[in-house]
Amino acid sequence: SKQDSGFCMWPTQTLQKGFRKKADGTYEEVTNHYSIAETPFKRDIIGELVKAGRGHGLGVSLYYSHIDWHDWDFGWDNRNFWYDGTFTTKSDDPKRWAAFIQKERDQITELLTRYGPIDTLCLDISWPKEAQQDAYGVAKLARRLQPNIMLRNRGIEAYGDYETPEGVIPEDPTRIKRPWQ
């Protein structure tokens, strides 16, 4: 649905300050949705995949990265195009800090209200420690919107239902305290 690059595979209503490469190779600042709706394809890929999967009796799992390397509001992340070393805590820029948190809430709401029942939400990456309570709030929001959803634990820790060890199969899977994939 949305990987670290921030590109949304559904027609999100959220806006972001971003950049676009011009024909001459330079970049210009833009404000856009940064989604499939702004490409020549224009179709809602998530909607099409959900419909096709359900048509074949499959469950629906959506992937969503907590971070965004393209959006100015996520400038605390050192991999972000707009990285700002002076923007590392809420007190550095409270309005910008609140914007990245609200944007995720808005996008999670779109994903979990637009396509009917969603079986799992595969969250990825984490936010800074100072934003941890807000990340937990995102998990609580997801459960209010989809009471039967399973959540991957990345970024939401104990609020998650399952985990995915990165690049390894655990030597002793019985030592993992929850289901894993």
Side-chain angles (χ1 to χ4, degrees), residues 67 73-78 83-84 87-88 97 100 126-128:
I67 61 169
D73 291 323
F74 288 76
W76 47 262
D77 187 316
N78 65 5
Y83 175 66
D84 178 354
F87 177 52
T88 58
W97 190 270
F100 89 77
S126 297
W127 283 346

Side-chain angles (χ1 to χ4, degrees), residues 75-76 83-93 97 128 130:
W76 47 262
Y83 175 66
D84 178 354
T86 66
F87 177 52
T88 58
T89 66
K90 185 177 190 173
S91 61
D92 295 331
D93 189 339
W97 190 270
E130 189 174 347

Side-chain angles (χ1 to χ4, degrees), residues 36-158:
I36 194 73
E38 294 171 326
T39 71
F41 190 71
K42 296 199 184 303
R43 295 179 4 219
D44 181 353
I45 291 175
I46 299 301
E48 291 181 27
L49 288 171
V50 168
K51 182 178 179 183
R54 285 205 188 103
H56 290 281
L58 299 173
V60 175
S61 180
L62 300 177
Y63 171 93
Y64 187 90
S65 178
H66 288 291
I67 61 169
D68 190 321
W69 293 339
H70 186 272
D71 188 347
W72 183 80
D73 291 323
F74 288 76
W76 47 262
D77 187 316
N78 65 5
R79 292 165 290 193
N80 185 291
F81 181 84
W82 302 99
Y83 175 66
D84 178 354
T86 66
F87 177 52
T88 58
T89 66
K90 185 177 190 173
S91 61
D92 295 331
D93 189 339
K95 185 176 178 183
R96 189 175 178 191
W97 190 270
F100 89 77
I101 292 166
Q102 188 59 50
K103 197 165 296 170
E104 176 153 329
R105 288 179 180 156
D106 292 345
Q107 289 181 344
I108 293 291
T109 298
E110 288 175 351
L111 286 171
L112 298 184
T113 60
R114 178 177 243 157
Y115 304 109
I118 303 299
D119 298 289
T120 65
L121 183 60
C122 186
L123 299 168
D124 204 2
I125 314 295
S126 297
W127 283 346
K129 287 183 180 182
E130 189 174 347
Q132 195 60 63
Q133 290 301 317
D134 292 298
Y136 298 156
V138 168
K140 292 173 185 177
L141 169 67
R143 293 203 189 283
R144 276 194 311 274
L145 297 172
Q146 295 271 347
N148 297 316
I149 199 166
M150 287 184 62
L151 301 173
R152 182 161 112 176
N153 73 318
R154 292 201 182 163
I156 59 169
E157 312 309 329

